[in-house]
Amino acid sequence: MSGLPESFAAIEGVEPARLELDGVSKSYGETTVLDRVSLTVARGEFVALVGPSGCGKSTLLKMVAGLEFPDAGHVRIAGTDVTDVRAADRDVAMVLQSYALYPHLTARQNLALPLVMRRLTGRQRLPFVGRFLPGTRAQLAAIGADVEKAGRALKIDHLLDRKPAAMSGGQRQRVALGRAMVRDPRLFLMDEPLSNLDASLRVHTRAEIVDLHKALGATTVYVTHDQEEALGMADRVAILHRGRLLQVASPEIVYRDPSRIEVASFIGSPSIGLIEAVIDDRGRAIVFDRPIAEGFAAQAGATVRVGIRPEHLRIGGHDDAILPARLDRTEFLGADALAHLRLPDGAPIVAKATPEIYRGFVPGPVGLAWNAADLLVFDAAGDRLRPRFDAATVTAERAHV
Amino acid sequence: MSASPHTLTPVGRSLRLLVLGIGAAVMLFPYVWMIATSFKPQAEVFSSGLSLIPEHSSILANYGKALGRIPMGRVLLNGVVVCLAIVVFQIAFALPAAYALAKLRFRGRDLMFGLVILGLLIPIHAVSIPMFAAFRALGLINTLAGLVVPFTLSVFAVFLFRQFIKAMPDDLIHAGRMDGLSEGAIVRRIVLPNAWPAATAFAIFSVVTHWNDLYWPSIVISKTELATPPLGVLFFRAAEAGDDYGALMAATVIVTAPLVVFFLFAQKAFIEGITMTGLKG
């Protein structure tokens, strides 16, 4: 991993491009895949596009690539409208989920093909004849050198003469990465590039891709269904749900301050606990006849969903308990432990803490407690409801966390 | 019943060999008889005894006649030229069409594929008379081009390649587009190399069919020097007044030998191609 940024600093990068998606929509027949998605990715920024499978994130990426075309809306790269420009003319590189290496070519030829297509003229690419045209040899030599350089930087130089069938999944992934970056793209797209790797390799490669992004400085859009990858790698995370972009913000904001209930439940592992509550006439959220949060402007009688992250849920005695619950079992995960609980109505909820805290816990009745400031409350439509604390109180309470 | 369904007892195995052996002998006998006859003098051909080994060899006389009475070298060369031209054009035309039908989205695609299927149902015999009239108007009668042109568009090839290309991952095509390949370049640089098993299988079928074809050549060709191998045999028979069976069989052996040798050398590719294994690398 070390040495990677340095070796790439040597390759002079093309100016990274700014990407703008403006009201992009797409439907297949009756199914709306993308619904007026607008997103701007700044030059050199790393944005992760995340969402459950089938949310339209891959379709959106293909539209940026020029492999799919929107029904409405515009795609602009570096200020130029490329909505109807085909992939071959967009100068965008992409790592596909299946890697899609050319099976009949060696790794070296796989890496060289995009350069051959871009740097040689049509006549220079002719079989046999092209080799003898002026300039071809020099270009081919330069391409060979660039391929070698990329191979060394990705530590695949010993694989260059192998065909994809003779490589492991991790090796293929690196070759695919190499094929995308060897031509210094101004926009770099990745469609779940790590999903076919085993867990340890995935963490390792994750760090490498981040390093690579720092070194190349290319604008990057990274599609993943793994929220952990998105939070860990991206400058900003864009959450897509059923074809709609719900929130685009820094990893910390989407985790701590989600604007929609889908964002809150998708981001975070184990996922956020959601308790249904009713607002009473004093603006309090009531669950099982107990007020659990207060200060809401919602109409009395309105149903809300109160979200609480597992790590914010405290298990204690009955004295300071906000809600009674039942502990089913605890689960040891190494650095963390989970407590699987049931609310009085039988709904499951999970708490997370260090194993020491749960040591000696036995299944049975317990009390649940939390800080009101940690709650994330959503109205029936799924929009975030913020308590009417004044801003100062909220900030002060957050500082305690 | 101790043996599993997939392993045969020694008796079962011998039985299987016996049945296959008899089948093979029955299938091979006419060809072997043809070779034997090509070695025999006229008197022995018409003798009532059944004997594979000739008493008096007449090999030189028979093969000498077969090679001498008609320009056999020219006839074989015609066969090679015609078959090669047909198969090259067939693949060159069918592959892009099949790629479009398999991987591109355009209005009327399904209708066009339906027409391809329909094309599979029409035998050449049904259209040979209008085609003959057209070819005469175009001056293609008694030319090698007249032998090649009707077969350059093979709906069977389009169908076969379309099914094969359909099984190729879309991502492969997407990667090609991202790498700056035009659709034509995708066909040449990605689809063709990866459709090689299908192309080989098709090439084998095509060469066998057109090497052995007698129907269309007998319609467009009336000159011996333009004859394809089977037509050459026909001309040879006419020239020999039809009763010198030793020489006639010698000519037939010469004409069929290239395909047999081709099969023996390319047996593996032949069988692989036909069963279409090795689809995925």
Side-chain angles (χ1 to χ4, degrees), chain A residues 3 5 9 19 55 154 156 164 167 273 282 314-315 332 351 364 381:
Chain A
L19 167 70
C55 70
L154 281 171
I156 48 168
M167 292 181 214
R282 283 152 62 191
R314 284 196 311 273
I315 304 173
F332 174 73

Side-chain angles (χ1 to χ4, degrees), chain A residues 200 211 312:
Chain A
S200 66
D211 285 347
H312 294 148

